[in-house]
Amino acid sequence: MSDVARAAGVSAATVSRALRGEPGVSEATRRYVTEVAKRMRYAIARDASSLAGGRRYAIAVLTGDVGRGDLLAGAEGALRQAGFDVLLYVLGDDDARTGFFEDVPLGRRVDGVLALSITLAEHEAAALAELGVPVLTVDDGDLRSALRLAVGHLIDLGHRDIALVLAVGVDESYDEVLVALGLEIRPEWTLWSSPTVVGGEQVADALLDGDRLPTAVVSASGEVALGVFMRLRRDGRRIPEDLSLVSLDGQDLTRAVGITAVEGALREEGEQAVAELLGSIRGNGESSVHELSWQLAVRESTGRA
């Protein structure tokens, strides 16, 4: 530790506090000391550190959607950079989620919990609160806000016949967003799909079997949007001339084929969420919510009605 202190030009006490994540060190100094220690391949003894400060240097990360890879990558990278181990729990279906919250298999193993792209029910939040550690929930900002962005763009282009594709298990209350924007809802144009390309192809088949096509489709999933895109192309339909397409989930694959999508700087958002969680761990210990911000990336898949 003394070697790191000399190299960084700070006291050994500052190095100790910085590497243990304790208060009394500015964030700039903490980052600098951590970088110097990393270059010198210095690693603090976890067991001794935990005994001294009551820390486990581990964070539980819960996610219901591994499709938001950039968000998860940003959070994981920031945690590891700060010297924390990551315990990842993917709660992508009802069985996994129910089993986790019945047992909450964390015990006294973590210093905090980061919930990514998962809306906690009241009993789930209560179960995590019993751990006695800060919990930070990254809220997608409500799918409705992303939907308003997408549908507003389509309305500006003259579209009135818009189909909505939701994830399996999501209720149809999202139709209310379209109604509030002055659109008439046709029941056969609210569909549900597994978040896969095949699911998107099945959605396109259902639309093609109808008495007429909508002029636009909004999909909650990037994979589903790609499936719709591919199936309509195989049917000889032109995008956007015959149908405009928007995804509420911006991914590399939507960018690659030119699908208009609602996006965010997810890697940076993941890093910011970690900074907020670690601040709570070092400071007041309170749980909180980090809301993602969104913007619309307009590409070739949308055009005038």
Side-chain angles (χ1 to χ4, degrees), residues 74-76 78-79 82 114 136 269-279:
E76 183 185 31
L79 285 169
L114 183 62
L136 187 135
E269 295 270 13
E271 294 169 351
Q272 179 59 35
V274 166
E276 293 175 18
L277 177 60
L278 296 186

Side-chain angles (χ1 to χ4, degrees), residues 269-303:
E269 295 270 13
E271 294 169 351
Q272 179 59 35
V274 166
E276 293 175 18
L277 177 60
L278 296 186
S280 293
I281 292 171
R282 295 167 185 142
N284 55 30
E286 293 182 355
S287 297
S288 57
V289 175
H290 175 91
E291 289 196 4
L292 298 180
S293 57
W294 300 108
Q295 61 186 13
L296 187 71
V298 178
R299 301 191 178 96
E300 297 87 351
S301 71
T302 50

Side-chain angles (χ1 to χ4, degrees), residues 163-164 172 175 184-192 207:
L164 175 60
E172 60 186 297
D175 280 349
E184 183 178 347
I185 302 302
R186 291 182 55 155
E188 67 270 27
W189 286 349
T190 298
L191 303 104
W192 289 263
L207 292 173

Side-chain angles (χ1 to χ4, degrees), residues 4-84:
V4 175
R6 280 193 296 271
V10 298
S11 68
T14 297
V15 171
S16 177
R17 287 196 299 271
L19 296 182
R20 288 190 171 93
E22 296 173 355
V25 180
S26 72
E27 194 57 38
T29 299
R30 193 185 312 280
R31 286 197 300 268
Y32 176 63
V33 169
T34 300
E35 183 59 33
V36 171
K38 183 179 178 181
R39 289 201 305 267
M40 297 179 68
R41 303 191 184 281
Y42 176 85
I44 195 164
R46 288 289 176 84
D47 292 342
S49 171
S50 296
L51 288 172
R55 293 275 174 79
R56 290 99 183 161
Y57 288 90
I59 299 294
V61 177
L62 318 180
T63 183
D65 184 3
V66 291
R68 297 219 185 280
D70 286 348
L71 181 65
L72 178 59
E76 183 185 31
L79 285 169
R80 297 200 184 282
Q81 178 70 23
F84 284 79

Side-chain angles (χ1 to χ4, degrees), residues 40-301:
M40 297 179 68
R41 303 191 184 281
Y42 176 85
I44 195 164
R46 288 289 176 84
D47 292 342
S49 171
S50 296
L51 288 172
R55 293 275 174 79
R56 290 99 183 161
Y57 288 90
I59 299 294
V61 177
L62 318 180
T63 183
D65 184 3
V66 291
R68 297 219 185 280
D70 286 348
L71 181 65
L72 178 59
E76 183 185 31
L79 285 169
R80 297 200 184 282
Q81 178 70 23
F84 284 79
D85 291 330
V86 176
L87 280 63
L88 177 63
Y89 295 88
V90 179
L91 312 179
D93 57 58
D94 290 340
D95 289 342
R97 187 160 177 162
T98 299
F100 177 87
F101 284 105
E102 282 180 352
D103 299 334
V104 190
L106 300 177
R108 298 179 59 82
R109 299 164 58 195
V110 298
D111 297 304
V113 178
L114 183 62
L116 302 177
S117 298
I118 182 170
T119 301
L120 298 174
E122 187 174 341
H123 73 279
E124 294 171 338
L128 294 179
E130 291 180 3
L131 294 171
V133 298
V135 177
L136 187 135
T137 303
V138 176
D139 189 343
D140 282 2
D142 188 339
L143 189 65
R144 288 172 178 79
S145 61
L147 183 56
R148 279 190 288 271
L149 267 179
V151 175
H153 169 64
L154 292 170
I155 289 175
D156 288 344
L157 292 173
H159 294 276
R160 307 295 296 178
D161 298 334
I162 299 174
L164 175 60
V165 185
L166 300 167
V168 171
V170 173
D171 65 52
E172 60 186 297
S173 63
Y174 289 92
D175 280 349
E176 297 169 0
V177 174
L178 280 67
V179 172
L181 291 171
L183 300 179
E184 183 178 347
I185 302 302
R186 291 182 55 155
E188 67 270 27
W189 286 349
T190 298
L191 303 104
W192 289 263
S193 172
S194 62
T196 62
V197 173
V198 171
E201 292 176 330
Q202 293 169 344
V203 163
D205 283 335
L207 292 173
L208 289 168
D209 286 343
D211 57 357
R212 67 185 177 95
L213 272 176
T215 63
V217 172
V218 177
S219 168
S221 162
E223 288 88 348
V224 170
L226 180 59
V228 171
F229 180 93
M230 294 171 60
R231 178 66 184 86
L232 291 174
R233 282 287 185 88
R234 287 201 304 272
D235 195 62
R237 312 287 175 146
R238 300 169 301 160
I239 295 175
E241 290 83 0
D242 295 325
L243 182 139
S244 285
L245 181 61
V246 182
S247 171
L248 303 184
D249 181 20
Q251 299 179 356
D252 288 343
L253 58 86
T254 56
R255 300 184 194 103
V257 297
I259 296 175
T260 294
V262 179
E263 299 183 345
L266 294 185
R267 186 176 294 270
E268 292 79 2
E269 295 270 13
E271 294 169 351
Q272 179 59 35
V274 166
E276 293 175 18
L277 177 60
L278 296 186
S280 293
I281 292 171
R282 295 167 185 142
N284 55 30
E286 293 182 355
S287 297
S288 57
V289 175
H290 175 91
E291 289 196 4
L292 298 180
S293 57
W294 300 108
Q295 61 186 13
L296 187 71
V298 178
R299 301 191 178 96
E300 297 87 351
S301 71

